Amino acid sequence: MRRGCIAIGEIRCDGCGRIIRHPERYLAINEEGGIEVEEGKTSRYCVECSLSRGYARYKVEKGEKILTFLPE
């Protein structure tokens, strides 16, 4: 399950190891071995890692560019 979150403290990205600080957005996802599952380890990815792994995308809505973590 994917959850778009806002950091309230310092969280480390599981992709690049960068510290995600308040109030940056990040993705929390349950996955095992790179495959999304219902139960399992929760991985946290910064916006850049989420975009590169295909978990996030930008879409245009009402003339505005919006970042979304939801699948198409």
Side-chain angles (χ1 to χ4, degrees):
M1 176 169 61
R2 296 181 192 187
R3 296 175 303 280
C5 304
I6 297 174
I8 58 171
E10 291 187 352
I11 299 165
R12 184 167 303 276
C13 175
D14 291 325
C16 63
R18 182 176 74 81
I19 298 292
I20 304 167
R21 291 182 166 52
H22 177 75
E24 290 182 75
R25 293 181 66 190
Y26 70 96
L27 172 69
I29 185 170
N30 293 349
E31 66 177 357
E32 286 183 10
I35 299 171
E36 192 173 343
V37 294
E38 288 294 321
E39 301 278 333
K41 177 183 175 273
T42 300
S43 299
R44 292 164 180 84
Y45 296 113
C46 63
V47 171
E48 293 81 17
C49 289
S50 298
L51 287 167
S52 68
R53 292 171 185 261
Y55 291 138
R57 62 187 168 87
Y58 284 101
K59 68 178 187 177
V60 177
E61 190 171 288
K62 296 182 182 177
E64 197 171 322
K65 189 175 175 183
I66 299 172
L67 174 69
T68 182
F69 295 109
L70 300 174
E72 284 189 57

